[in-house]
Amino acid sequence: MCDNDFHQVVSALADYAQKLASGDASAVLPELGFSADESLKRLSESLSRMGEQMAALKEAMVRTDRHAALIENDNELLVELLSRRNEWLLVVDTDSKEVLYCNKRRNGEDGKDAVCETCKKRLSFQSELLEWNDAEYGSVDQYNVWEVEGENETFYRITSFPVEWKDRNSHVHIVVDVTDEKKMAHTLTSKAYRDPGTGIRNRLFFEEYMDGILKERREATLCYLDLDGLKYVNDTFGHLEGDIYIQTFVEVIRSNFRNDDTFARTGGDEFCLVLTGRIKDLIDRKMAEILESFQAVDNGEYQCSFSYGIVEVEGKDNEWTLDEILQQADAAMYECKRRNKEKYPALVR
């Protein structure tokens, strides 16, 4: 190879290398067109491979840019969708307690170091969200579901979990308003456990309540009551008057005991009153006074009366089942009914 040819080859290769260095992945290695020595051939092959690698790298960068653009568009769409959701989504920096993101935050609103204006108005418990610590719940790095009561009888269910948000250790709180759900559940529960005729507890509630007392071996006093003469009133004056008779009796009992005392209708004319502690003598005296007062009611149509039997549940030493307790209370009630029958033979049957 002559000096002129050599310089042409070197110049062509240098020009190609300069284009590669500037990022021109479309540069093409020129045809040398003559026989080069071994060193120039190796240099040419190296530059050719470098060109191929540069072209592949540029193509990968283009794909990465497109992918990043798609992710950014998707994130914008996701943020827009989240802003339209009913639930709240807050991201809170674990250390600084700064709100990094809130889907209720208005455009342009600076929410750093504070809950956004929308949450201030709606979430009265925002301080609990900012100070929340998963370690207190015993399940670090896991989902935690907890509930909190807001203002004006509102209820919220919160799902909280740790996350890395823009290279910062954070917690996500998804807050859902479950007020309607709670109210519906309360309504259904109330209907399931209440007697529709009187509004007091029903037999289902009474049995479950007593089951809890017996399992926990708590001391209690059970008073079993039977409204005397209900069949007589129904047959003689009609069921409407019978309902009035029942409601009058219920109001008399309720007015003499606390709301915390469990009073339930367990049958048509059968009722049970459950009180905390072993206070049989006290309740016996009080029931005698209530019965005397109830029997003194003059409605001009029929005699008002009820019979009762009282049993103490011994707590830790108790070995009775609910059926056995009720049998003892029923036996005591019939002794009272016998006395009432002697006093009012036409009513008590």
Side-chain angles (χ1 to χ4, degrees):
M1 177 185 295
C2 65
D3 289 343
N4 187 46
D5 291 339
F6 179 81
H7 287 302
Q8 288 182 4
V9 171
V10 171
S11 177
L13 292 176
D15 182 60
Y16 177 61
Q18 186 176 7
K19 290 181 178 179
L20 291 180
S22 66
D24 185 2
S26 62
V28 178
L29 181 67
E31 293 289 342
L32 298 180
F34 47 81
S35 175
D37 60 23
E38 190 64 28
S39 60
L40 288 178
K41 285 183 178 180
R42 288 199 298 271
L43 176 59
S44 174
E45 291 171 355
S46 297
L47 290 175
S48 179
R49 288 194 297 272
M50 185 182 298
E52 293 173 355
Q53 292 171 354
M54 286 288 294
L57 179 60
K58 185 173 183 179
E59 184 179 351
M61 291 176 64
V62 170
R63 289 198 303 268
T64 300
D65 290 342
R66 289 175 180 172
H67 185 60
L70 289 174
I71 291 176
E72 185 175 353
N73 291 337
D74 289 344
N75 285 342
E76 291 178 355
L77 176 61
L78 179 60
V79 169
E80 177 64 22
L81 291 174
L82 287 173
S83 67
R84 298 173 183 269
R85 297 287 297 178
N86 290 329
E87 62 265 25
W88 280 262
L89 191 153
L90 290 90
V91 182
V92 180
D93 185 287
T94 303
D95 299 318
S96 69
K97 310 305 180 184
E98 175 187 336
V99 178
L100 305 179
Y101 172 78
C102 175
N103 67 325
K104 300 298 182 182
R105 185 177 293 162
R106 300 184 184 92
N107 291 334
E109 182 180 0
D110 185 6
K112 290 184 177 180
D113 301 323
V115 178
C116 66
E117 291 301 318
T118 303
C119 296
K120 285 181 182 178
K121 294 177 181 178
R122 296 288 301 279
L123 300 181
S124 60
F125 50 89
Q126 60 263 21
S127 60
E128 296 182 44
L129 295 174
L130 297 181
E131 298 298 329
W132 187 86
N133 186 348
D134 54 4
E136 296 178 0
Y137 288 76
S139 53
V140 179
D141 297 332
Q142 295 183 12
Y143 286 80
N144 293 277
V145 180
W146 49 295
E147 293 188 356
V148 64
E149 184 174 355
E151 296 179 341
N152 302 319
E153 297 184 350
T154 55
F155 300 89
Y156 298 87
R157 181 175 297 121
I158 305 170
T159 303
S160 303
F161 55 91
V163 69
E164 186 172 306
W165 181 274
K166 298 181 180 180
D167 299 325
R168 299 172 70 170
N169 292 329
S170 310
H171 281 100
V172 174
H173 301 290
I174 302 174
V175 185
V176 181
D177 188 330
V178 294
T179 302
D180 291 340
E181 177 185 328
K182 287 283 186 181
K183 288 182 178 178
M184 179 62 71
H186 178 73
T187 299
L188 292 175
T189 301
S190 297
K191 288 182 178 179
Y193 286 118
R194 291 199 177 275
D195 173 58
T198 62
I200 64 174
R201 303 294 189 178
N202 60 13
R203 187 178 187 88
L204 176 61
F205 179 88
F206 165 74
E207 290 178 346
E208 292 187 7
Y209 182 73
M210 285 301 299
D211 184 59
I213 286 179
L214 296 177
K215 283 183 177 179
E216 296 169 16
R217 306 186 75 80
R218 286 184 281 153
E219 292 185 346
T221 299
L222 184 146
C223 182
Y224 181 65
L225 303 103
D226 185 280
L227 184 58
D228 294 334
L230 179 60
K231 184 178 184 305
Y232 168 78
V233 174
N234 283 332
D235 293 344
T236 307
F237 304 101
H239 286 271
L240 179 59
E241 185 61 35
D243 292 340
I244 295 174
Y245 183 33
I246 293 172
Q247 196 61 53
T248 301
F249 164 73
V250 168
E251 291 304 320
V252 167
I253 300 300
R254 291 177 66 176
S255 65
N256 281 276
F257 292 92
R258 302 170 303 175
N259 291 332
D260 294 340
D261 298 326
T262 298
F263 185 37
R265 186 180 186 182
T266 57
D269 54 3
E270 299 168 349
F271 300 81
C272 282
L273 178 67
V274 185
L275 305 105
T276 302
R278 297 173 60 182
I279 50 176
K280 181 179 182 297
D281 292 341
L282 175 63
I283 300 305
D284 198 2
R285 290 195 299 271
K286 188 168 186 177
M287 277 297 175
E289 294 174 359
I290 297 172
L291 175 58
E292 183 177 357
S293 175
F294 189 58
Q295 289 176 336
V297 173
D298 182 11
N299 58 20
E301 299 288 345
Y302 51 86
Q303 177 64 49
C304 295
S305 180
F306 67 87
S307 303
Y308 66 91
I310 303 172
V311 174
E312 288 185 343
V313 180
E314 297 182 358
K316 293 182 179 180
D317 297 327
N318 177 67
E319 297 181 356
W320 298 335
T321 65
L322 177 57
D323 286 341
E324 290 171 336
I325 293 172
L326 289 175
Q327 286 174 9
Q328 293 189 51
D330 184 66
M333 183 273 295
Y334 269 102
E335 177 58 28
C336 178
K337 187 176 286 290
R338 183 189 61 77
R339 294 193 299 269
N340 288 341
K341 187 174 182 180
E342 292 176 354
K343 190 174 182 180
Y344 306 107
L347 178 67
V348 184
R349 300 178 181 178

